């Protein structure tokens, strides 16, 4: 399982309107599709050095002025047959209103969002098609973050310190501890692209369908519960309600399997 984020953790007026974390999950026997997709995209982008191992970065290589790259990246991701994706989205408006007390601290904000993401990964691993899996978690390292503190926070979550509502998260399906790595991992690069596609869709106007066209190419990969539920499972919004996402004109298409 590979994780990266989009948006920033800041809450100042100039900060991004949301922060999101994305998990790309691929079964071990199909991990070759991660290398295949990443290497293929690097070959398309680094045309003068087709064998380069220089990592892909959404902000550097998939700018708005290169729409063909965004489309090709989405197609490459969509063609990974057994991949599943989870998005956890935190709109800043609710965080600023102190609805989630204590999250004005940027480190706590990251840790809390990460916990929500890994809870859903644990459920996905337990309910994986064909039988339970053990999720080996690799997260993209975040500049300025003390990830040892994140690991401590997540360990408390595993012990049930924050489980006030009896959610019974199956943490035993995640190999512990998770690891934070650099962007040299192909899977981290692909998770970054998934997060970038989400960013473009959420940054666009709510009535703009074109901003989500590439995101919709990967909608079949969204993780769902065994009963087919998406909201709160493959797409989780940390807010009073889900309207930050569900009010968008493309939500219905995105939510239909």
């Amino acid at each position: 399982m590979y994780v990266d984020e989009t948006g920033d953790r800041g809450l100042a007026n100039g900060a991004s309107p949301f922060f999101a974390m994305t998990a790309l999950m691929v079964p071990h026997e199909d991990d070759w599709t991660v290398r295949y997709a990443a290497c293929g995209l690097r070959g398309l982008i680094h045309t003068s050095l087709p064998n380069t191992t220089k990592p892909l970065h959404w902000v550097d290589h998939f700018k708005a002025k290169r729409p063909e790259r965004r489309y090709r990246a989405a197609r490459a991701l969509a063609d990974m047959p057994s991949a599943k994706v989870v998005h956890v989205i935190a709109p800043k408006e609710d965080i600023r209103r102190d609805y989630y007390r204590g999250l004005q601290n940027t480190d706590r904000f990251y840790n809390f969002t990460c916990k929500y993401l890994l809870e859903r990964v644990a459920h996905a691993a337990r309910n994986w098609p064909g039988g339970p899996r053990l999720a080996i978690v690799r997260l993209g390292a975040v500049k300025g973050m003390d990830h040892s503190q994140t690991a401590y926070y997540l360990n408390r979550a595993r012990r049930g310190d924050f489980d006030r509502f009896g959610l019974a998260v199956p943490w035993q399906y995640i190999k512990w501890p998770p690891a934070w790595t650099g962007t040299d991992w192909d899977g981290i690069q692909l998770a970054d692209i998934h997060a970038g596609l989400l960013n473009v869709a959420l940054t666009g106007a709510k009535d703009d369908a074109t901003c989500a066209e590439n995101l919709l190419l990967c909608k079949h990969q969204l993780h769902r519960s065994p009963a087919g539920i998406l909201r709160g499972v493959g797409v989780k919004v940390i807010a009073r309600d889900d309207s930050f996402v569900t009010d968008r004109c493309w939500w219905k298409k995105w939510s239909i399997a």
Side-chain angles (χ1 to χ4, degrees):
M1 192 212 44
Y2 307 98
V3 178
D4 211 1
E5 71 282 337
T6 186
D8 58 66
R9 293 168 289 134
L11 294 171
N13 290 334
S16 62
F18 62 90
F19 176 68
M21 296 186 74
T22 295
L24 169 63
M25 301 176 289
V26 183
H28 175 74
E29 65 272 17
D30 290 338
D31 198 53
W32 66 270
T33 63
V34 173
R35 295 187 295 277
Y36 186 82
C39 290
L41 288 172
R42 284 197 296 267
L44 283 173
I45 291 170
H46 305 304
T47 53
S48 60
L49 296 170
N51 295 319
T52 185
T53 57
K54 183 179 180 180
L56 299 166
H57 291 284
W58 177 264
V59 296
D60 294 334
H61 301 126
F62 299 94
K63 299 179 185 295
K65 65 181 180 181
R66 304 301 298 266
E68 78 287 353
R69 286 187 179 180
R70 293 183 172 185
Y71 170 73
R72 291 168 185 168
R75 285 295 305 271
L77 296 176
D79 287 343
M80 296 171 65
S82 55
K84 292 185 178 296
V85 175
V86 172
H87 299 290
V88 173
I89 304 158
K92 302 283 185 67
E93 185 175 353
D94 271 319
I95 305 301
R96 291 190 185 97
R97 289 174 178 170
D98 203 28
Y99 181 58
Y100 289 90
R101 194 171 298 277
L103 295 191
Q104 285 74 18
N105 177 287
T106 56
D107 289 354
R108 290 177 184 169
F109 189 15
Y110 173 87
N111 294 345
F112 188 79
T113 308
C114 189
K115 177 177 78 74
Y116 266 51
L117 184 77
L118 293 191
E119 287 174 347
R120 280 143 189 82
V121 167
H123 284 287
R126 182 182 63 180
N127 298 315
W128 196 267
R133 299 285 183 130
L134 182 66
I136 301 173
V137 181
R138 298 184 178 94
L139 303 98
V142 179
K143 186 177 180 180
M145 277 289 303
D146 181 355
H147 291 302
S148 66
Q149 290 300 312
T150 304
Y152 172 76
Y153 175 86
L154 294 173
N155 224 18
R156 290 186 61 194
R158 289 176 74 231
R159 295 200 310 257
D161 291 2
F162 313 125
D163 192 11
R164 294 176 296 168
F165 307 107
L167 297 178
V169 177
W171 290 106
Q172 66 270 28
Y173 293 98
I174 294 182
K175 183 180 179 181
W176 213 257
W180 281 265
T181 65
T183 56
D184 51 316
W185 283 83
D186 290 337
I188 298 295
Q189 296 170 46
L190 297 187
D192 175 50
I193 295 173
H194 270 291
L197 297 174
L198 177 70
N199 188 300
V200 172
L202 293 178
T203 302
K206 290 188 175 183
D207 59 352
D208 178 12
T210 61
C211 65
E213 286 179 344
N214 292 323
L215 181 71
L216 291 176
L217 293 176
C218 304
K219 69 173 187 174
H220 59 286
Q221 295 173 333
L222 289 173
H223 169 59
R224 297 171 184 269
S225 74
I229 297 171
L230 174 63
R231 291 170 68 171
V233 179
V235 178
K236 169 63 179 176
V237 182
I238 305 176
R240 291 177 183 270
D241 57 56
D242 294 349
S243 60
F244 182 79
V245 177
T246 58
D247 281 355
R248 296 174 188 272
C249 65
W250 44 265
W251 162 254
K252 187 173 182 180
K253 287 185 178 179
W254 197 41
S255 64
I256 297 174

